[in-house]
Amino acid sequence: MIPLAEFKQFSEQQPAFKLLKPWWDVLAEYLTVAMLMIGVFGCTLQVTQDKIICLPSHEPRENLSEAPCQQLLLQGVPEQMEGLQEVSGLKNNLDLQQYSFINQLCYEKALHWYPKYFPYLVVIHTLIFMVCTSFWFKFPGTSSKIEHFTSILGKCFDSPWTTRALSEVSGENRKGHATGRTTATVAAEAGPGKVGEGEKEKVLTEPEKVVTEPPAVTLLDKKEGEQAKALFEKVKKFRVHVEEGDILYTMYIRQMVLKVCKFFAILVYNLIYVEKISFVVACTVETSRFTGYASFCCNHTKAHLFSKLAFCYISFVCVYGITCLYTLYWLFHRPLKEYSFRSVREETGMGDIPDVKNDFAFMLHLIDQYDPLYSKRFAVFLSEVSESRLKQLNLNHEWTPEKLRQKLQHNTKGRLELALCMLPGLPDTVFELREVEALRLEAISDITFPPGLSQLVHLQELSLIHSPARLPFSLQIFLRDRLKVIRIKCEELREVPLWVFGLRGLEELHLEGLFPPELAQAATLESLRELKQLKVLSLWSNAGKVPASVTDVAGHLQRLSLHNDGARLLALNSLKKLTVLRELELVACGLERIPHAVFSLGALQELDLKDNHLRSIEEILSFQHCRKLITLRLWHNQIAYVPEHVRKLRVLEQLYLSHNKLEALPTQLGMCSGLRLLDVTHNGLHSLPPELGLLQNLQHLALSYNALETLPDELFFCCKLRTLLLGYNQLTQLSPQVGALRSLIRLELKGNRLEALPEELGNCRELKKAGLLVENSLYEGLPAEVREKMEEE
């Protein structure tokens, strides 16, 4: 006897797997259980009871068949029942052992194989059906995907975030009719016209929030938010993995086709052989030598019961087969390798829920047969909008207004700035800091400014560093006349948001990014005509020429900065139109000569040509036409000498020539009587012309990192000199005339060959110890009274 517990492993699956069992698989399971019980019951009868009972027949062996045995049985019974008289039978003279021998022998020789093995066949066929039904839950290639799917699905179904996201959607309509709620508040701020896409998303994200109140973040604690965030990542990776193939779909079809084929085979042979189950069996065996008889009439004791079991079994098989045929129809009639969330999108308003395909789609179709609610709740984790809402909720929970206020500090322009870097999104709590004047966002991807931005009434400066941002139209109106400074840094300049070029109150525009290689020569920039107040334009790029749109602001642009990252800037003629330009920077533009267009800028006050390829500056004579030029920066080039024409720059106040290849300075430099700052550090100067002593207005002189061995005494006639940098030269002594520099507050002497310092340094009344940069040994060599004087407060 086979205990039922042995078959339990075939029917039991993990509880989560029931989600992937549609009604026909569940019905098939119950049918297989019923068929298995029939088989087990029949096997039990076969084992526990006598199989067949035989009696010798007195009919000649050649006339023996089932008919005389049946006739004998039918004739004998009525006569005995009518008279109720004693009937005497034939004596066969056989003992019990001979009857047992005949019974076993006739069972093996005379009984047809179908009634003999019927219960065992039922068990075997049923086990095959069970295997076919559950094989894809056991096969490693499919079971792993099913386990992951059911695990993720269960977590998504039970996640508090799913409940929150769907409850927000369900409450949308009620809030649309309620007064004083979030939608009404946002619509009022947006003005007449429809609410923008970003605003609608904001409404969905914070259903109970009024713009003037802090967001409600108490529905999810931090741990639950992190768990939901991890679920989003799992769903993304699982989707990519499962959508690559269709092994689940193929395996399910194959096992279903196998079950259908098995059904037809079982049905055919059972219908053919079921009539072989007979109550009376004629048996002819050569046993006359042992028993005296060779013909027997036998009774198959379980024939009647087996015939009823066979009828039940065939009935169950027919129902099972019809179920399998319906399943095949369902498999081939519907596109099960594609799944659309259209109804979910319409119901939830999450329009970005993507349709899925292959095995992912097939499993969702099976889930719908179990309960469509699973797909609806699972869809929440396929939506990027839902993910962004969760990130927003976590951000609001983590970045409280109190924590953000700790990050406030004044920037270089004195504005109160809030800087946020590398966050997964923009916290809504930012917009509760009404005192913010400058907002700097760095490495924050995909920003959509919510209506709460309108609370920052003092905002004047916005920096978006690798942080692409979308701005609804209503907020564009809010910032149009309010924003004064904006900085945009991105990979390519075509990523600069178009709304930037509509901020008509903008005074400073700083753009950093590259033009695509095919567009670098054209250097096309969006029109700047709307920027009526623009005074400063900074462009860090690889442009082949000055963008033509710069001329749109020629009438009021005062500062233009072009940083070209080493790419050669060729066409500069458009600069002539910038008639009111005061400051011009052409940094790393690959210039080999000073552009002639610069000399036409009559209002130019500062020119910076840093980090180019200038070797000669003979054109410096033409700077006399720039009558207002006071600052000239020619540093970080390859200039070998300064021409005598430099004497024409009488109004020049600052001259930067550091990091060049100068070995001498012209004597005519002393005729630049207005010069207040001269920087010639990091060159190869061996000596200085005495004429430098004519620079009576000179206040800052930087000579560090040269090869100077001596200094002319005339240098110390520059009585207004406040800073003198002589570090890292080859000076062996410092003239006592240094005491004439009564205004000196900073003196650098480190890195020279000095053996002692002149005690006349004590005459420099403004020079203190902190302003004297020299080796300690030299400082200690000064007289004590000089050191005491320098150390006085």
Side-chain angles (χ1 to χ4, degrees):
M1 180 177 176
I2 304 176
L4 288 174
E6 296 294 329
F7 302 106
K8 189 177 182 181
Q9 58 177 328
F10 293 103
S11 59
E12 278 194 352
Q13 300 295 334
Q14 296 182 15
F17 283 11
K18 67 181 181 180
L19 302 177
L20 294 176
K21 290 183 179 180
W23 64 266
W24 51 82
D25 278 349
V26 175
L27 176 60
E29 272 193 8
Y30 284 107
L31 291 174
T32 52
V33 170
M35 290 187 286
L36 184 63
M37 292 178 64
I38 291 175
V40 172
F41 181 62
C43 291
T44 304
L45 292 177
Q46 288 279 65
V47 174
T48 58
Q49 297 184 9
D50 293 334
K51 298 179 177 65
I52 195 171
I53 300 175
C54 298
L55 292 176
S57 174
H58 296 276
E59 294 288 332
R61 185 169 65 178
E62 58 272 9
N63 295 332
L64 186 65
S65 65
E66 291 184 5
C69 292
Q70 292 278 6
Q71 186 176 6
L72 177 62
L73 178 63
L74 294 175
Q75 289 176 352
V77 173
E79 292 178 359
Q80 296 173 8
M81 297 296 294
E82 285 177 3
L84 296 177
Q85 56 186 2
E86 184 178 354
V87 178
S88 59
L90 297 175
K91 292 185 178 181
N92 297 321
N93 299 320
L94 295 177
D95 59 18
L96 183 60
Q97 291 184 348
Q98 288 175 324
Y99 278 118
S100 297
F101 174 75
I102 295 300
N103 290 344
Q104 294 293 334
L105 190 61
C106 286
Y107 178 81
E108 296 295 334
K109 297 293 185 180
L111 192 63
H112 191 269
W113 65 267
Y114 181 77
K116 189 188 305 181
Y117 300 112
F118 165 72
Y120 305 110
L121 292 175
V122 171
V123 172
I124 292 173
H125 296 331
T126 305
L127 292 179
I128 293 176
F129 281 138
M130 288 183 173
V131 170
C132 290
T133 301
S134 62
F135 182 73
W136 74 321
F137 293 129
K138 301 292 186 181
F139 184 66
T142 55
S143 63
S144 60
K145 292 183 179 180
I146 294 175
E147 288 174 4
H148 290 152
F149 178 70
T150 53
S151 173
I152 294 174
L153 187 67
K155 293 177 180 178
C156 292
F157 189 89
D158 297 329
S159 173
W161 170 247
T162 311
T163 304
R164 159 139 188 175
L166 293 177
S167 64
E168 289 175 355
V169 173
S170 63
E172 242 179 42
N173 295 332
R174 295 195 299 272
K175 284 188 289 182
H177 297 287
T179 58
R181 307 288 285 193
T182 305
T183 309
T185 306
V186 173
E189 288 190 4
K194 67 176 184 178
V195 179
E197 195 177 17
E199 298 162 324
K200 180 179 179 182
E201 183 176 321
K202 181 70 177 180
V203 173
L204 293 177
T205 307
E206 299 176 352
E208 297 297 331
K209 175 188 172 188
V210 179
V211 173
T212 57
E213 296 179 357
V217 295
T218 57
L219 293 183
L220 290 182
D221 58 26
K222 185 175 181 180
K223 181 179 179 181
E224 291 172 339
E226 290 300 324
Q227 290 175 346
K229 184 179 177 181
L231 272 179
F232 272 104
E233 293 300 322
K234 287 183 179 180
V235 171
K236 284 181 181 179
K237 293 179 180 179
F238 180 76
R239 179 189 172 194
V240 172
H241 174 62
V242 175
E243 280 192 321
E244 292 177 352
D246 59 353
I247 183 173
L248 291 173
Y249 178 75
T250 304
M251 183 67 72
Y252 193 82
I253 287 182
R254 288 177 178 175
Q255 68 183 28
M256 193 58 61
V257 170
L258 181 60
K259 288 196 291 185
V260 171
C261 294
K262 186 71 175 176
F263 154 68
F264 282 115
I266 293 174
L267 185 63
V268 169
Y269 90 81
N270 273 277
L271 292 177
I272 293 175
Y273 292 111
V274 70
E275 61 180 14
K276 298 297 183 180
I277 301 178
S278 177
F279 185 74
V280 177
V281 179
C283 175
T284 303
V285 289
E286 194 60 44
T287 58
S288 55
R289 291 169 47 191
F290 304 102
T291 63
Y293 300 96
S295 301
F296 302 90
C297 285
C298 301
N299 174 21
H300 185 201
T301 58
K302 292 177 287 295
H304 182 74
L305 182 58
F306 276 12
S307 63
K308 300 298 184 290
L309 291 177
F311 174 77
C312 291
Y313 175 66
I314 293 174
S315 300
F316 283 131
V317 167
C318 289
V319 177
Y320 190 93
I322 293 172
T323 304
C324 293
L325 291 174
Y326 173 80
T327 306
L328 282 181
Y329 170 78
W330 181 78
L331 286 171
F332 293 110
H333 179 68
R334 299 183 60 184
L336 299 180
K337 296 176 71 173
E338 298 176 358
Y339 189 90
S340 174
F341 285 99
R342 182 176 59 185
S343 60
V344 180
R345 288 194 291 264
E346 293 174 354
E347 182 179 352
T348 63
M350 300 177 188
D352 66 327
I353 300 176
D355 295 337
V356 295
K357 59 183 181 179
N358 288 337
D359 281 342
F360 204 176
F362 179 61
M363 285 190 288
L364 288 174
H365 280 293
L366 291 178
I367 288 293
D368 282 346
Q369 297 296 323
Y370 182 81
D371 189 349
L373 182 60
Y374 277 90
S375 299
K376 178 180 176 181
R377 295 178 70 89
F378 185 72
V380 171
F381 288 87
L382 291 172
S383 169
E384 293 184 4
V385 171
S386 175
E387 184 177 10
S388 66
R389 294 176 190 171
L390 175 65
K391 291 179 179 178
Q392 196 67 44
L393 194 65
N394 289 340
L395 277 172
N396 297 343
H397 193 280
E398 179 180 0
W399 293 93
T400 60
E402 293 73 19
K403 184 177 180 180
L404 290 174
R405 281 194 173 88
Q406 296 176 2
K407 295 178 68 65
L408 289 176
Q409 58 184 0
H410 291 277
N411 61 12
T412 55
K413 293 192 176 183
R415 295 190 176 105
L416 192 61
E417 183 180 70
L418 174 63
L420 299 175
C421 180
M422 298 183 70
L423 296 182
L426 184 62
D428 292 326
T429 48
V430 168
F431 309 113
E432 298 179 29
L433 309 182
R434 297 173 178 270
E435 65 271 24
V436 170
E437 297 175 309
L439 184 60
R440 180 183 176 88
L441 306 176
E442 185 172 353
I444 301 177
S445 60
D446 198 18
I447 299 172
T448 298
F449 285 109
L453 180 65
S454 59
Q455 299 181 69
L456 303 182
V457 293
H458 300 291
L459 185 65
Q460 297 182 17
E461 184 175 335
L462 178 63
S463 300
L464 300 173
I465 313 301
H466 294 294
S467 301
R470 294 188 296 272
L471 191 69
F473 180 72
S474 60
L475 294 179
Q476 294 180 34
I477 297 175
F478 171 75
L479 293 179
R480 186 171 57 189
D481 299 317
R482 192 180 305 271
L483 208 60
K484 303 300 180 184
V485 181
I486 190 166
R487 292 179 175 85
I488 305 289
K489 183 176 181 180
C490 50
E491 294 295 331
E492 294 187 359
L493 285 176
R494 58 186 173 187
E495 298 175 8
V496 176
L498 295 179
W499 54 265
V500 171
F501 303 100
L503 302 173
R504 63 189 184 190
L506 204 63
E507 296 180 358
E508 296 185 22
L509 175 59
H510 304 271
L511 301 177
E512 182 175 351
L514 299 177
F515 289 103
E518 65 275 8
L519 301 177
Q521 294 302 319
T524 303
L525 197 63
E526 294 293 331
S527 175
L528 305 176
R529 293 178 182 176
E530 294 294 324
L531 307 182
K532 304 296 184 182
Q533 305 296 325
L534 192 66
K535 294 180 175 60
V536 178
L537 175 60
S538 176
L539 181 62
W540 294 63
S541 68
N542 58 339
K545 66 176 184 179
V546 179
S549 56
V550 173
T551 59
D552 295 339
V553 291
H556 46 81
L557 191 66
Q558 297 181 7
R559 185 175 186 272
L560 176 62
S561 178
L562 298 177
H563 294 249
N564 226 35
D565 199 25
R568 190 172 182 181
L569 193 64
L570 298 176
L572 293 167
N573 291 332
S574 58
L575 292 178
K576 297 179 180 179
K577 300 179 181 180
L578 305 178
T579 55
V580 298
L581 195 67
R582 296 180 182 179
E583 300 179 30
L584 176 62
E585 290 184 3
L586 300 175
V587 179
C589 293
L591 301 176
E592 297 180 356
R593 305 182 71 86
I594 300 175
H596 290 281
V598 173
F599 307 131
S600 302
L601 304 176
L604 191 65
Q605 297 179 6
E606 296 185 18
L607 176 63
D608 189 348
L609 298 177
K610 180 183 178 182
D611 201 13
N612 282 284
H613 304 309
L614 300 178
R615 292 182 173 83
S616 173
I617 53 174
E618 289 291 341
E619 304 87 348
I620 201 172
L621 176 63
S622 300
F623 279 125
Q624 62 183 332
H625 301 294
C626 301
R627 302 183 184 279
K628 297 182 179 181
L629 186 67
I630 59 175
T631 302
L632 179 60
R633 295 183 174 91
L634 300 172
W635 48 1
H636 295 270
N637 280 281
Q638 302 175 23
I639 301 172
Y641 73 98
V642 178
E644 298 177 356
H645 313 307
V646 70
R647 67 180 184 275
K648 298 291 184 179
L649 306 181
R650 296 184 183 276
V651 298
L652 194 66
E653 296 182 2
Q654 299 181 10
L655 178 60
Y656 295 83
L657 290 168
S658 65
H659 294 84
N660 277 286
K661 298 182 178 180
L662 297 174
E663 296 184 358
L665 294 176
T667 58
Q668 291 78 5
L669 188 60
M671 301 178 66
C672 298
S673 56
L675 206 61
R676 293 189 300 168
L677 182 148
L678 177 61
D679 184 357
V680 286
T681 59
H682 293 275
N683 278 280
L685 298 177
H686 294 279
S687 62
L688 295 176
E691 287 76 7
L692 287 183
L694 299 175
L695 301 175
Q696 291 301 304
N697 292 315
L698 193 64
Q699 298 179 15
H700 182 102
L701 178 60
L703 298 168
S704 302
Y705 295 95
N706 279 283
L708 298 174
E709 297 179 358
T710 60
L711 298 174
D713 289 341
E714 292 80 359
L715 179 64
F716 303 104
F717 295 165
C718 303
C719 57
K720 293 183 179 180
L721 204 61
R722 297 173 60 84
T723 301
L724 179 58
L725 306 180
L726 298 170
Y728 302 97
N729 279 279
Q730 300 180 18
L731 299 175
T732 56
Q733 64 176 358
L734 183 62
S735 172
Q737 297 292 332
V738 70
L741 304 178
R742 303 299 175 89
S743 301
L744 195 66
I745 60 174
R746 181 178 174 84
L747 175 62
E748 181 188 23
L749 295 171
K750 268 190 175 182
N752 283 282
R753 302 176 181 177
L754 299 174
E755 296 180 359
L757 296 177
E759 62 181 18
E760 285 78 5
L761 282 175
N763 298 330
C764 301
R765 296 190 300 266
E766 303 295 330
L767 185 63
K768 303 299 179 182
K769 181 181 179 181
L772 179 60
L773 304 179
V774 69
E775 287 82 359
N776 289 333
S777 59
L778 292 176
Y779 178 76
E780 296 296 333
L782 287 172
E785 60 272 15
V786 174
R787 284 187 279 121
E788 288 177 2
K789 187 177 181 180
M790 288 187 176
E791 292 172 3
E792 290 179 356
E793 292 294 334

Coordinates of all heavy atoms in Angstrom, one line a residue, residues 432-463:
E432 N 10.6 76.6 2.0 CA 10.1 77.2 3.2 C 11.1 78.2 3.7 O 10.8 78.9 4.7 CB 9.9 76.1 4.2 CG 8.8 75.1 3.8 CD 8.6 74.0 4.8 OE1 8.8 74.3 6.0 OE2 8.2 72.9 4.4
L433 N 12.3 78.3 3.2 CA 13.3 79.2 3.6 C 13.2 80.5 2.8 O 13.8 80.8 1.8 CB 14.7 78.7 3.4 CG 15.0 77.3 4.0 CD1 16.4 76.8 3.7 CD2 14.7 77.2 5.5
R434 N 12.3 81.4 3.2 CA 11.9 82.6 2.5 C 13.1 83.6 2.4 O 13.1 84.4 1.5 CB 10.7 83.2 3.1 CG 9.4 82.4 3.1 CD 8.3 83.0 3.9 NE 7.1 82.3 3.8 CZ 6.2 82.4 2.9 NH1 6.3 83.3 1.9 NH2 5.1 81.7 2.9
E435 N 14.0 83.4 3.3 CA 15.1 84.4 3.3 C 16.2 84.1 2.3 O 17.1 84.9 2.1 CB 15.8 84.4 4.7 CG 16.5 83.1 5.1 CD 15.5 82.1 5.8 OE1 14.3 82.2 5.6 OE2 16.0 81.3 6.6
V436 N 16.1 83.0 1.6 CA 17.2 82.6 0.6 C 17.2 83.6 -0.5 O 16.2 84.0 -1.1 CB 16.9 81.2 0.1 CG1 17.8 80.9 -1.1 CG2 17.1 80.2 1.2
E437 N 18.4 84.1 -0.9 CA 18.6 85.0 -2.0 C 19.3 84.4 -3.2 O 19.2 84.9 -4.3 CB 19.4 86.2 -1.5 CG 18.8 87.1 -0.4 CD 19.7 88.1 0.1 OE1 20.8 87.8 0.5 OE2 19.2 89.3 0.2
A438 N 20.1 83.3 -2.9 CA 20.8 82.6 -3.9 C 20.6 81.1 -3.7 O 20.8 80.6 -2.6 CB 22.3 83.0 -3.9
L439 N 20.3 80.4 -4.8 CA 20.1 79.0 -4.7 C 21.1 78.3 -5.7 O 21.1 78.6 -6.9 CB 18.7 78.6 -5.1 CG 18.3 77.1 -5.0 CD1 18.4 76.6 -3.6 CD2 16.8 77.0 -5.4
R440 N 21.9 77.4 -5.1 CA 22.9 76.7 -5.9 C 22.7 75.2 -5.9 O 22.7 74.6 -4.8 CB 24.4 77.0 -5.4 CG 25.5 76.3 -6.2 CD 26.8 76.6 -5.6 NE 27.9 75.8 -6.3 CZ 28.6 76.3 -7.3 NH1 28.3 77.5 -7.8 NH2 29.5 75.6 -7.9
L441 N 22.4 74.6 -7.0 CA 22.0 73.2 -7.1 C 23.1 72.5 -8.0 O 23.2 72.9 -9.2 CB 20.6 73.0 -7.7 CG 19.5 73.8 -7.0 CD1 18.2 73.6 -7.8 CD2 19.4 73.4 -5.6
E442 N 23.8 71.6 -7.5 CA 24.9 70.9 -8.2 C 24.7 69.4 -8.2 O 24.4 68.8 -7.2 CB 26.2 71.2 -7.5 CG 27.4 70.7 -8.3 CD 28.7 71.2 -7.7 OE1 28.7 72.1 -6.8 OE2 29.8 70.8 -8.2
A443 N 24.8 68.8 -9.4 CA 24.6 67.4 -9.6 C 23.3 66.8 -9.1 O 23.3 65.8 -8.4 CB 25.8 66.7 -9.0
I444 N 22.3 67.5 -9.3 CA 20.9 67.1 -8.9 C 20.2 66.8 -10.2 O 19.9 67.8 -11.0 CB 20.2 68.1 -8.0 CG1 21.0 68.3 -6.8 CG2 18.8 67.6 -7.7 CD1 20.4 69.4 -5.9
S445 N 19.9 65.6 -10.5 CA 19.3 65.3 -11.9 C 17.8 65.5 -11.9 O 17.1 65.3 -10.9 CB 19.6 63.8 -12.2 OG 19.1 63.0 -11.3
D446 N 17.4 66.0 -13.1 CA 15.9 66.0 -13.4 C 15.1 66.8 -12.4 O 14.3 66.2 -11.7 CB 15.4 64.6 -13.6 CG 14.1 64.6 -14.4 OD1 13.8 65.6 -15.1 OD2 13.3 63.6 -14.3
I447 N 15.4 68.1 -12.3 CA 14.7 68.9 -11.4 C 13.4 69.5 -12.1 O 13.5 70.0 -13.2 CB 15.6 70.1 -10.9 CG1 16.8 69.5 -10.2 CG2 14.8 71.0 -10.0 CD1 17.8 70.6 -9.8
T448 N 12.3 69.5 -11.4 CA 11.1 70.2 -11.8 C 10.7 71.1 -10.7 O 10.3 70.6 -9.6 CB 10.0 69.2 -12.2 OG1 10.4 68.3 -13.3 CG2 8.7 70.0 -12.6
F449 N 10.8 72.4 -10.9 CA 10.5 73.3 -9.9 C 9.0 73.3 -9.6 O 8.2 73.5 -10.5 CB 11.0 74.7 -10.2 CG 12.4 74.9 -10.2 CD1 13.2 75.1 -11.3 CD2 13.1 75.0 -8.9 CE1 14.6 75.2 -11.2 CE2 14.4 75.2 -8.8 CZ 15.2 75.3 -10.0
P450 N 8.6 73.1 -8.3 CA 7.2 73.1 -7.9 C 6.7 74.5 -7.7 O 7.4 75.5 -7.7 CB 7.2 72.3 -6.6 CG 8.6 72.6 -6.0 CD 9.5 72.8 -7.2
P451 N 5.4 74.6 -7.6 CA 4.8 75.9 -7.3 C 5.4 76.6 -6.1 O 5.3 77.8 -6.0 CB 3.3 75.7 -7.2 CG 3.1 74.4 -7.9 CD 4.3 73.6 -7.8
G452 N 5.9 75.8 -5.1 CA 6.4 76.4 -3.9 C 7.6 77.3 -4.2 O 8.0 78.1 -3.3
L453 N 8.2 77.3 -5.4 CA 9.3 78.2 -5.7 C 8.8 79.7 -5.5 O 9.7 80.5 -5.2 CB 9.8 78.0 -7.1 CG 10.9 78.8 -7.6 CD1 12.2 78.6 -6.8 CD2 11.2 78.5 -9.1
S454 N 7.6 79.9 -5.7 CA 7.1 81.3 -5.6 C 7.1 81.8 -4.2 O 6.9 83.0 -4.0 CB 5.6 81.4 -6.1 OG 4.8 80.5 -5.4
Q455 N 7.4 81.0 -3.2 CA 7.6 81.5 -1.9 C 8.9 82.2 -1.6 O 9.1 82.9 -0.7 CB 7.5 80.3 -0.9 CG 6.1 79.6 -0.9 CD 6.0 78.5 0.1 OE1 6.0 78.7 1.3 NE2 6.0 77.2 -0.4
L456 N 9.9 81.9 -2.5 CA 11.2 82.5 -2.4 C 11.2 83.9 -3.0 O 11.7 84.1 -4.1 CB 12.3 81.6 -3.0 CG 12.4 80.2 -2.5 CD1 13.5 79.4 -3.2 CD2 12.6 80.1 -1.0
V457 N 10.6 84.8 -2.3 CA 10.4 86.1 -2.8 C 11.6 87.0 -2.9 O 11.7 88.0 -3.6 CB 9.3 86.9 -2.0 CG1 7.9 86.2 -2.2 CG2 9.7 86.9 -0.5
H458 N 12.7 86.5 -2.2 CA 14.0 87.3 -2.2 C 15.0 86.6 -3.1 O 16.1 87.1 -3.2 CB 14.6 87.3 -0.8 CG 13.7 88.0 0.2 ND1 13.4 89.3 0.2 CD2 13.0 87.5 1.3 CE1 12.6 89.7 1.2 NE2 12.3 88.6 1.8
L459 N 14.6 85.6 -3.9 CA 15.6 84.9 -4.7 C 16.0 85.8 -5.9 O 15.2 86.3 -6.6 CB 14.9 83.6 -5.3 CG 15.8 82.7 -6.1 CD1 16.9 82.1 -5.3 CD2 15.0 81.6 -6.8
Q460 N 17.3 86.0 -6.0 CA 17.9 86.8 -7.1 C 18.9 86.0 -7.9 O 19.2 86.4 -9.0 CB 18.5 88.0 -6.5 CG 17.6 89.0 -5.8 CD 18.3 90.2 -5.3 OE1 19.4 90.5 -5.7 NE2 17.6 90.9 -4.4
E461 N 19.5 84.9 -7.4 CA 20.6 84.2 -8.0 C 20.3 82.7 -8.0 O 19.9 82.2 -7.0 CB 21.9 84.5 -7.3 CG 23.1 83.9 -8.0 CD 24.4 84.3 -7.3 OE1 24.4 85.4 -6.6 OE2 25.4 83.6 -7.4
L462 N 20.5 82.1 -9.2 CA 20.2 80.7 -9.3 C 21.4 80.0 -10.1 O 21.7 80.5 -11.2 CB 18.9 80.4 -10.1 CG 18.5 79.0 -10.4 CD1 18.3 78.2 -9.1 CD2 17.2 78.9 -11.2
S463 N 21.9 79.0 -9.5 CA 23.0 78.2 -10.2 C 22.6 76.8 -10.4 O 22.2 76.1 -9.4 CB 24.3 78.3 -9.3 OG 24.7 79.6 -9.1

